[in-house]
Amino acid sequence: MPVTYSESLDAAIQYLQQLKARGVKYLTVSPSTLAALSNGPRPSPPAARPVKAPRAEAPLRESPAKPVAPPASADEGPSIAVLAPRVPSSLSGEAKAAAMSELRERALGCQKCPRLAASRQNVVFGVGDINSPLLFVGEAPGADEDSQGEPFVGQAGQLLTRIIQTMGFPRDTVYIANVLKCRPDTPGQTAGNRKPTPEEMRTCLPYLLAQIDLIQPKIIVALGGTAMEGLFGRVVPITKVRGHFQDFRDIPVMPTYHPSYLLRTQALGVKRQLWEDMLQVLEKLGRPISERQRNYFLSSAQ
Ligand code: URA
């Protein structure tokens, strides 16, 4: 008996659900399979059962893997590979904005972490230009972000804004998001934040992945070890990897310190290290770097 497209699709979905239930999170899919999937069913002779049209959406396009240049220094640095290919999209500007706002709506109503959903004031989805080449990823909203519904608006956020501006970007021309969209609850505490749990990060990651797939940034800056852990799904010692581009679904990720670490340490050397990471980002983006920018944090003047 001939197998129809929708029967194959049902079988594929069932198989993927079984894998998911077994804890499989990523699959390696060849570019040719992706292309075949994006083309939908091949024309076939009339079937006894009507074949459902594939969902109307923009065709997927193959993204040639962007080779990640080695770090500027001779030291190659540690590398963390993420094999899952991102699904490239060639959505029009309007369709992309609509998809992002639909994603936002879904996130705003999310109840996947019931305790966080109950304690949050706002879901902090993300902010900025969805066409930006540059995406900053933090760990989770703090109290200020929770009350305003925007990432990085507290003290660390103000420092991040200064860093972005010193790089030559107005804040609203980059995109800023967190691994976790809700503030981690702190029962019994009146102040302070807590680190998101691995489970919370795993649960929330699909929102960030969808944001990344829509934005398709040229570079992601991961702010701190927890952001790296959320993205890569394992503990990443930030002091070892910072300053070395990593590959995340074909996108170069620059791991660097979280701005709140800079606020805590105030050490000039740490500020300079973060700034060197940002200079590498500017170089990779092909942005001009002024003498003043190059020399930033070399003296105690800043
Ligand atoms: N720290 C983060 O990681 N994210 C924010 O949005 C604010 C502080």
Side-chain angles (χ1 to χ4, degrees), residues 124 138-142 145 150-153 156-157 178 223 258:
V124 181
E139 57 177 78
E145 291 75 20
E150 181 170 332
F152 284 99
V153 290
N178 284 307
L223 299 162
H258 193 285

